[in-house]
Amino acid sequence: MKKILLIAAVSLIAFSASAQKFAHVNFQELVQLMPESDKARATIQESSKAAQESYEEMLSEFNDKYTKYQQNVNSYTAATRKAKEDELTQIQQRIQEFSQNVQTELSQQQDQLMAPIYQKAQETVAEIAKKGGYIYVVDRSTILYIDDTQSVDITPEARKALGIPEGRTLEALQAELQAQQQQQ
């Protein structure tokens, strides 16, 4: 009797597992191709360009003063030489601090701009999953293997819900970004 109950329980579990619906999505593709991501990338690029211009100005100031220092080093008194060297060292430190601060600020800006984009994509995937009755949705980019016969790819439905144009691919996006970099 115990064997029959055990067999029945195992059969019931196997049956219920086979009735479960699983789905997968390429989440990174969704996030990267969303129109909102294009706007975020443009904002970050503008900030980065402004920071680069400031960095180059600071570097130019350093180079000008260093060149002047080298040209006149032999005519300086020891005290003047020390003052000029201290000034150059301070400028180098400012440049280094600026560079570190800019990297931190750009990273924070990216996090702030991308957070609502990730949230929107997450909410869209969750909504599609609920409508479809899926118990799990896994990110295709983090899974080693997915049996497409037992798991539904909801990426196309999510792309449509997020307003990603048909035919837009990660490869096309990479080409766009490379072309923009070459123009600069």
Side-chain angles (χ1 to χ4, degrees):
M1 183 69 170
K2 288 183 182 180
K3 285 185 179 181
I4 293 174
L5 287 176
L6 181 60
I7 292 172
V10 170
S11 297
L12 183 60
I13 290 171
F15 176 74
S16 66
S18 67
Q20 301 296 325
K21 292 174 71 176
F22 299 95
H24 58 275
V25 67
N26 189 332
F27 194 74
Q28 288 300 346
E29 175 184 317
L30 294 177
V31 170
Q32 293 299 316
L33 296 179
M34 288 172 61
E36 294 91 335
S37 290
D38 293 337
K39 293 175 187 171
R41 275 189 292 274
T43 300
I44 293 165
Q45 186 175 12
E46 287 175 24
S47 297
S48 181
K49 184 178 178 182
Q52 182 65 30
E53 288 172 2
S54 295
Y55 178 81
E56 288 172 4
E57 287 172 9
M58 294 171 80
L59 204 54
S60 177
E61 175 191 3
F62 173 80
N63 288 334
D64 290 346
K65 289 188 181 203
Y66 182 70
T67 301
K68 218 179 243 187
Y69 169 80
Q70 283 184 317
Q71 291 171 350
N72 299 317
V73 70
N74 294 331
S75 64
Y76 292 148
T77 65
T80 304
R81 184 179 309 127
K82 171 98 171 84
K84 296 289 183 180
E85 290 170 356
D86 288 348
E87 181 182 15
L88 290 170
T89 301
Q90 288 173 355
I91 294 171
Q92 281 180 315
Q93 288 172 345
R94 277 189 319 164
I95 291 171
Q96 190 173 28
E97 284 178 26
F98 175 80
S99 180
Q100 290 170 349
N101 291 339
V102 163
Q103 291 302 321
T104 300
E105 288 175 12
L106 288 174
S107 179
Q108 289 172 346
Q109 181 184 36
Q110 181 172 1
D111 290 346
Q112 288 174 340
L113 292 171
M114 293 304 292
I117 296 168
Y118 276 99
Q119 183 177 352
K120 181 178 178 181
Q122 177 69 36
E123 290 171 354
T124 300
V125 169
E127 185 179 307
I128 291 168
K130 286 178 186 174
K131 283 182 189 175
Y134 301 107
I135 60 167
Y136 289 105
V137 177
V138 295
D139 184 356
R140 182 170 200 111
S141 65
T142 61
I143 301 295
L144 296 176
Y145 172 76
I146 294 176
D147 184 348
D148 288 329
T149 63
Q150 296 185 36
S151 178
V152 177
D153 185 1
I154 62 171
T155 304
E157 188 176 351
R159 285 175 59 104
K160 186 175 181 180
L162 292 168
I164 299 170
E166 276 191 50
R168 186 162 194 219
T169 64
L170 288 175
E171 293 79 17
L173 174 63
Q174 291 295 348
E176 287 174 30
L177 295 175
Q178 285 177 352
Q180 287 175 0
Q181 284 180 342
Q182 289 175 354
Q183 287 179 353
Q184 296 174 0

